[in-house]
Amino acid sequence: MSDDLLQRGKQIKLAVFDVDGVLTDGRLYFLEDGSEFKTFSTLDGQGIKMLMAAGVQTAIISGRKTPVVERRAKNLGIPHLYQGREDKLVVLDELLAQLNLSYEQVAYLGDDLPDLPVIRRVGLGMAVANAASFVREHAHGITLARGGEGAAREFCELILRAQGRLDAANAAYL
């Protein structure tokens, strides 16, 4: 992990996640009745809980809208959920005004072109390992894990490590 990423992670007060391709593997699963289901990593969920327990706020911004994501956000206790919003930078501006935070205090994890404006603007903009190549080129860092397979956990642990809170977050479970 680079010193630059750790330095960027020190000031983070809000971690924002995309859904499809980040908290999931990016595949869309539809049943015959038209309903949709997604799979989420429990490792990612635990990482998000650890981040919130350390005082970092969390949010999801997704271009798609589905009840499955609403249920997942509720289960994890993520307080800020925005779905069906294609212009993620506009959503982030609204959220920053509400929370009285600056871009430098935000970390974002994404995987595709709609995430790029946010990734390039925030203090810590990261891409998952299997993100689109153009997005990876413009991110501050790239996770080792693929989306839906622990990338969000890695992202959360980076922030916790940068803020000197990872050991305490892990010790809480001993």
Side-chain angles (χ1 to χ4, degrees):
M1 180 171 324
S2 77
D3 288 341
D4 178 58
L5 291 180
L6 290 173
Q7 193 62 37
R8 290 176 178 280
K10 284 182 182 178
Q11 58 194 350
I12 300 306
K13 304 283 185 216
L14 172 66
V16 183
F17 302 87
D18 176 38
V19 177
D20 294 320
V22 173
L23 295 179
T24 74
D25 64 9
R27 296 178 185 160
L28 301 177
Y29 300 92
F30 295 99
L31 300 176
E32 282 194 32
D33 67 4
S35 62
E36 179 179 351
F37 73 91
K38 299 177 183 295
T39 59
F40 297 93
S41 167
T42 58
L43 290 173
D44 291 344
Q46 184 61 43
I48 291 169
K49 287 180 180 181
M50 291 165 57
L51 205 56
M52 291 187 298
V56 176
Q57 298 204 48
T58 57
I60 288 175
I61 302 175
S62 179
R64 299 185 74 245
K65 184 172 179 145
T66 173
V68 175
V69 173
E70 186 174 343
R71 188 173 313 122
R72 181 66 172 156
K74 185 176 180 181
N75 287 347
L76 292 175
I78 296 173
H80 307 286
L81 172 62
Y82 300 89
Q83 294 195 83
R85 302 287 300 270
E86 291 293 330
D87 191 336
K88 296 180 179 188
L89 198 53
V90 168
V91 176
L92 182 59
D93 285 340
E94 294 169 11
L95 184 56
L96 292 180
Q98 177 186 336
L99 299 176
N100 196 28
L101 295 174
S102 67
Y103 286 118
E104 293 75 26
Q105 295 173 301
V106 178
Y108 186 89
L109 184 60
D111 74 314
D112 211 344
L113 294 175
D115 303 310
L116 192 55
V118 177
I119 287 172
R120 294 186 66 189
R121 190 72 181 263
V122 298
L124 176 60
M126 292 191 61
V128 297
N130 58 322
S133 61
F134 192 69
V135 175
R136 290 193 317 265
E137 288 173 23
H138 289 276
H140 296 122
I142 303 166
T143 63
L144 296 175
R146 297 169 57 86
E149 299 176 6
R153 175 65 169 267
E154 188 179 329
F155 174 74
C156 293
E157 288 187 356
L158 183 155
I159 295 166
L160 290 168
R161 182 175 289 113
Q163 297 182 2
R165 299 179 188 180
L166 183 58
D167 290 340
N170 286 328
Y173 294 92
L174 293 178

